[in-house]
Amino acid sequence: MTWTEYFVIIIGVLIFVVIFQIAKASEYVSVLKGEKKAFQQNNRINAFLMLVFLVLGLAAAWWCNKLLYKKTLLWLPSASEHGEKIDTMMWITIAITGIVFFVTQILLFWFAYKYQATEKRKAHYYPHNNKLELLWTAVPAIALTVLVSFGLYYWYKITGDAPKDAMEVEITGHQFGWEYRYPGKDGVLGRQHYRLTDAAKGNPLGQDWNDVANHDDLHPSELHLVVDKPVKLIIRSQDVIHDVGLPHFRLKMDAVPGTPTTMWFTPKHTTAKMKELTGNENFVYEISCDQMCGSGHYSMKGTIVVETQEEFDKWINSQKPQYVTAHPDGAVAVAATVAPAAADSVKAAAGTGPKSEH
Amino acid sequence: MSNEIAVQHGVASHEVHEHHDGHHHHETFITKYVFSQDHKMIAKQFLITGIIWAIIGGLMSVLFRIQLGYPEATFPWLEDIFGHWAKDGKIQPEFFYALGTMHGTILVFFVLTAGLSGTFANLLIPYQIGARDMASPFMNMLSYWFFVLASIILLSSLFVQTGPASGGWTVYPPLSALGDASQGSKIGMDLWLVSLAMFVVSSLLGGLNYVSTILNMRTKGMTMTRMPLTIWALLFTAILGLLSFPVLFSGFILLLFDRHLGTSFYLSDIVLGGNILPNEGGSPILYQHLFWFLGHPEVYIIILPTMGLVSEVMSINARKPIFGYMAMIASMFAIALLAFLVWAHHMFVTGMNPFLGSVFVLLTLLIAVPSAIKVFNWLTTLWRGNIRFTPGMLFCVGFVSMFISGGLTGIFVGNSTLDIHLHDTYFVIAHFHIVMGVSAFMGMFAGVYHWFPKMYGRYMNNTLGYIHFWVTLICAYVIFWPMHYEGFAGMPRRYYDYSGWESFKHFVELNRVISFAAIVSFLVQLLFVFNFFYSIFKGRKVTTLNPWNANTLEWTTPINPGHGNWPGEIPEVHRWAYDYGKDGKDFIPQTEPVSKDESTH
C-alpha cells in the first residue's frame, strides 16, 4: 500500500470517529435538555429535510435528464420499424408512469412535512373508506389495461410471422463471438447437425455437406443487411445461452443451444445515414451479447452493416461459399452426386422459430 | 361484545411480575446463545448473521463498482489482498463475474430472505400473536443452523482454487452445468448448489413453523382479522416460500445430475471449445422455468415482510390507524397469489411462445394493481397524521418513495414489448435494485430501529440513525436513478468493461459517479453496523415498557423478557392493533377491552 492509501484510510477513520462523537454528544444534550424538547427539535429538522429532499430531488432529476438524455437512444430515431413501435410504447409508458411518479412522490414528502408532530394537532382517526379503495383500484386497473392492450398489439406485430420476401440469415453464438451464414443463391440454408462441427476441417457451423443446399451457403465475417428489406434472423448457439442484442433496432433475442429462435425486422437507416443522424463519424451498429455467457461476455461483439441493395449485392458477390473453403480440391464433383431432396429439410428445422417452444 | 367485561390479565400481571421473571429453568451459555430454542434469540442470531453477510455482499459490490467506475486504473493493494484474482492491481474478468454472482446470491437469499424473514418472523410472530414461542422451537433452531451450514459452504466456495460460482445469481445452464465453460462452473458451482440446497431446507423448516404458529397459537381474542399486518405479511411470505422453494430445489438437483451423472435435462446440441458433447434433447429453458417459479415469488418473499413492517411502524409513528386494513390484507393476498403466475416475464426473449408471453404480460401488469393500492393506503395513512420522525419512521417514508420509483419501472419491463429493448440492460438493474433491494433494506432498517429496544432493552443512537437514513436515501437515488438512462441506451448489464463499445463507452463518467456513491453508501451502512453493535452494549437503556406507545402485544412483555415472554398469563386481546387517535385517545392497546361508549368503525 502507498502512503496516499494509508492517508485515505486514516482520514476515513477520523471522519467516522467525529461523526460518532457528535452522535454521542447529541444524545447527552437531549438528556440535558429534556427528551421531549430534543425530540421536537429533531422532528422539525427531519420534517424540513423531507421538503428539502423533495425540492432538491426534483431539481436533480431535471438536471440528470439534461445531462444524460442525449446519451440515450430516446432522442434517436429507431433503426427498425419494430423499434418505432417500441419507442411509441415507451413514450406512452413514460408519460403515464411519470405522472403517477410525480404525484405520489410529491404527496408522500409533502404529507411527511405537513403532518409532522405538533402539540396543537391530533391525528385524524381515519381507518378506511371503501369508495376511495374502489377508486384507486379501478384507476390503475384502467390505466394498465390501456398499457397492456397497446403492448400486446405491438408484441404480436413484432413477434408475428416474417413477411414472405424476408431475407434469411443465420447467426450463431459461441464463447465469445458470432458467426453468420447466408443461404446463397438458392435462398435455402443447408441442413446442419452439431455433431458435424469441425472447425479444423473448415466446418465451424456443422453444415451437412451431403445437403446440396449447403454448397452455396456463405459464411462471411460481418453481417450485412439491406435497407428497407425485411430480414429474418435464425438464431443459434453452439455452447451456452447468448443473446443477440441490437440496441439501435430496439431488439433482442436469446440464442439457446438446441433450440433455434428467430427474430425479424426491417432496417430503416443505412449505417451511413446513422452516422449523420448521430453526428458520430465512428457510428457502427453493434451486436451485444445480452445474456451472461462467461468471462468474455463483455467482449462478445458483432457488427452489422446496413447498406443499399447495390452495395449489398456487390459485397455478397465477393463472398466465397464455405463449401469451397472446406473442400479446396474436387468440391464441385461431390456436389453433383448428392441427392437434392435433402435441401428442404432445413426449412422445417429453421423456419418455425418463433413458435418453437419445445 | 361478550368479552368487554373480561379482566385484563396481561396488562395487570406484567406490572406485578416484572421484578421476578427469573423463574424459567437454568440455561447455560451454549443453550442460551448458541443452540438456543428461544425465538427471540434465534431472531437475533438470524439478524446478526444477516448483517455479517450484508457486509460481505456489500463489499463485493464495492469491488466490482471499482472496476466499473475506474476501468483504466490499477490498485496495487487489490493484488496484495486478492492475489492473481486482481493481477497487476486490476480486477480480472473471472473475479468480476464471481463478485457479481456472489453479491446477488448473498443479498437475495442470505440477507433479504434469511436475514429478513428469519429475524422478524422469529421475533414478531410469537410476540405479536401472544405465544410463548414457536410451534416447534427445535425445528426453529434447526432452521437457523441449516442456514449457518449453507453459509459456511457458500463462504468456503470463495476460497477454492477456481473460485466461486460466476455465471450470475440465476446460474443458467449450460454455462453453470459445464465446468469447461467457465472457471466458476467448476467446484465453486457444486458448492453453490449444495449451499443453496441447505438454504432451502432452512427456509422450509422456518416457513412451516411460521405458518403453524400463526394458525394455531394465537392468544385468546386474537382473531385473524385482529392480527397486526406484520403477521399477515409474514404468513403470506411463509406460504410463498413453502410452495415455491421445493421447485427451485428440484431445479438444482437436476442441474447437479447434469453436472455429474451425465443426464441431459438442460443440455442439448453443444459444441464447447471444439469438443462435441453427447447430450441431446434437453432444454436450458426448462431450468429457467423451474428457477423463476421460485425466483419470482422470491422477490415477494423479500418485499412482503417489509410491507408488513412498514405498515406497522408507519401507523404507530403517524399516530393513526393504518388506512384500509382489510384492503391491505386483500392486496397482500392478491400479490401472493399472482406471485405464482408471473414467473415467465423474466423469459420474454428466450424464444418462448409469444402467446404464452402475452398471458404473462397480462398477469404481470395485474400485480401492479394491489401494489398501487398499498401505496395509496400508505399515503393516506400519513395524511392528517401527527408524524414522529423516529429513525424507523424515516425509513418507512424512504421505503414508500423507493417502492413507488421501482414499482413504476416494473410496468416498463413487465410489458413484453418494452422488455425486448430493456431486457438485461441497466434499466433492469435499476428497477429491481430499487424495488426489492433498497426498498427491502429500508423496510428492514425500519424494523431494526423500531424493535431494537424490544430485542436488547436499549435504544440505538438517533443521530446516527438520521445520518444513516438521509445519506442512504440520497445515495440510493444517485446510484440507481441514472442507471435508467443507461438502460434507455441499451447498455447491457454484467459487462466487465464498456470501453470497447461504440454504443456504450460514453457512460464512463457516469459510472464513476455511481461507483463513488456506492462506496459512500457502503460506508454509511458500516455506520449503522457500528451503531447496532455499540448500542447492544452501550445504548441508552429503555426505561418504560412501551417506549413507542404502541398497541401490539410485544410491548406488554417485560423490558428484557425471559424464555416464554410473559412472566404471568398471556394477555387476552380485545381489539385490532390500530386504535391510534381513536375517540381522542392517543392509543388504545390491544389488551384493553372495548368500552361501552366507544365509537365503532
Side-chain angles (χ1 to χ4, degrees), chain B residues 151-170:
Chain B
S151 297
I152 291 170
I153 297 171
L154 194 74
L155 208 55
S156 71
S157 82
L158 301 178
F159 298 98
V160 298
Q161 180 69 32
T162 48
S166 63
W169 78 281
T170 54

Side-chain angles (χ1 to χ4, degrees), chain B residues 317-331:
Chain B
N317 288 299
R319 310 311 293 159
K320 250 187 102 206
I322 190 76
F323 183 78
Y325 173 78
M326 291 308 270
M328 286 300 220
I329 297 172
S331 54

Side-chain angles (χ1 to χ4, degrees), chain B residues 72-83:
Chain B
E72 308 297 331
T74 55
F75 302 93
W77 57 271
L78 282 174
E79 192 175 7
D80 296 342
I81 302 169
F82 298 108

Side-chain angles (χ1 to χ4, degrees), chain B residues 82-395:
Chain B
F82 298 108
H84 73 276
W85 294 100
K87 204 159 163 276
D88 304 328
K90 199 164 160 43
I91 287 171
Q92 298 299 300
E94 276 290 347
F95 188 38
F96 175 84
Y97 287 119
L99 286 170
T101 304
M102 285 296 121
H103 168 77
T105 307
I106 290 169
L107 268 297
V108 169
F109 291 110
F110 289 71
V111 180
L112 291 175
T113 304
L116 176 64
S117 276
T119 303
F120 289 102
N122 277 307
L123 183 74
L124 295 180
I125 290 174
Y127 268 152
Q128 292 196 328
I129 66 168
R132 297 213 181 270
D133 206 316
M134 283 288 177
S136 170
F138 181 73
M139 264 169 63
N140 211 20
M141 179 186 82
L142 276 186
S143 162
Y144 174 71
W145 285 101
F146 268 102
F147 172 47
V148 171
L149 184 63
S151 297
I152 291 170
I153 297 171
L154 194 74
L155 208 55
S156 71
S157 82
L158 301 178
F159 298 98
V160 298
Q161 180 69 32
T162 48
S166 63
W169 78 281
T170 54
V171 300
Y172 281 177
L175 181 61
S176 62
L178 305 170
D180 291 336
S182 151
Q183 286 281 300
S185 300
K186 294 187 160 73
I187 179 82
M189 191 60 226
D190 289 316
L191 291 169
W192 191 96
L193 286 167
V194 173
S195 166
L196 265 287
M198 293 302 121
F199 184 88
V200 172
V201 174
S202 157
S203 220
L204 294 181
L205 286 169
L208 282 171
N209 242 325
Y210 307 152
V211 173
S212 48
T213 309
I214 294 170
L215 294 183
N216 296 317
M217 298 184 63
R218 301 188 308 278
T219 185
K220 197 176 172 193
M222 180 62 87
T223 57
M224 293 297 275
T225 48
R226 281 180 183 168
M227 294 196 310
L229 287 171
T230 37
I231 304 300
W232 272 107
L234 291 164
L235 176 66
F236 288 128
T237 306
I239 293 171
L240 278 180
L242 284 178
L243 295 178
S244 59
F245 266 116
V247 177
L248 179 77
F249 191 82
S250 67
F252 286 167
I253 297 298
L254 298 187
L255 184 51
L256 273 174
F257 282 7
D258 271 9
R259 288 175 58 79
H260 296 296
L261 302 180
T263 55
S264 307
F265 291 106
Y266 306 135
L267 305 176
S268 188
D269 298 21
I270 291 168
V271 184
L272 188 64
N275 288 328
I276 292 162
L277 303 191
N279 313 69
E280 278 186 66
S283 168
I285 305 301
L286 170 64
Y287 173 85
Q288 298 186 17
H289 281 291
L290 294 174
F291 180 86
W292 288 114
F293 191 81
L294 163 96
H296 199 81
E298 172 65 27
V299 307
Y300 294 99
I301 288 172
I302 287 171
I303 207 70
L304 277 171
T306 61
M307 287 173 164
L309 297 173
V310 164
S311 301
E312 181 72 13
V313 176
M314 181 184 278
S315 170
I316 290 169
N317 288 299
R319 310 311 293 159
K320 250 187 102 206
I322 190 76
F323 183 78
Y325 173 78
M326 291 308 270
M328 286 300 220
I329 297 172
S331 54
M332 280 197 282
F333 176 73
I335 289 174
L337 191 71
L338 288 169
F340 285 112
L341 303 172
V342 299
W343 79 88
H345 68 210
H346 298 269
M347 301 162 59
F348 286 141
V349 297
T350 57
M352 189 174 71
N353 186 322
F355 174 72
L356 195 58
S358 66
V359 175
F360 280 98
V361 172
L362 196 68
L363 291 164
T364 299
L365 294 203
L366 211 55
I367 213 165
V369 175
S371 308
I373 293 172
K374 294 195 80 74
V375 167
F376 291 127
N377 284 352
W378 284 317
L379 290 177
T380 317
T381 303
L382 292 177
W383 177 71
R384 294 185 66 185
N386 210 20
I387 301 166
R388 303 184 309 206
F389 289 109
T390 61
M393 183 62 179
L394 289 173
F395 277 104

Side-chain angles (χ1 to χ4, degrees), chain A residues 178 241-247 251-254 287-293 297 300, chain B residues 349 420-425 490-495 501 504:
Chain A
W178 300 103
I241 303 177
H242 302 280
D243 184 285
V244 180
L246 307 174
L251 291 173
K252 195 169 287 151
M253 181 55 81
D254 279 1
I287 306 174
S288 57
C289 178
D290 283 355
Q291 182 62 256
M292 174 64 200
C293 64
H297 173 51
M300 188 166 162
Chain B
V349 297
I420 300 174
H421 181 39
L422 297 173
H423 187 84
D424 267 335
T425 64
M491 184 164 125
R493 59 191 285 211
R494 293 171 171 161
Y495 269 28
W501 293 81
F504 316 119

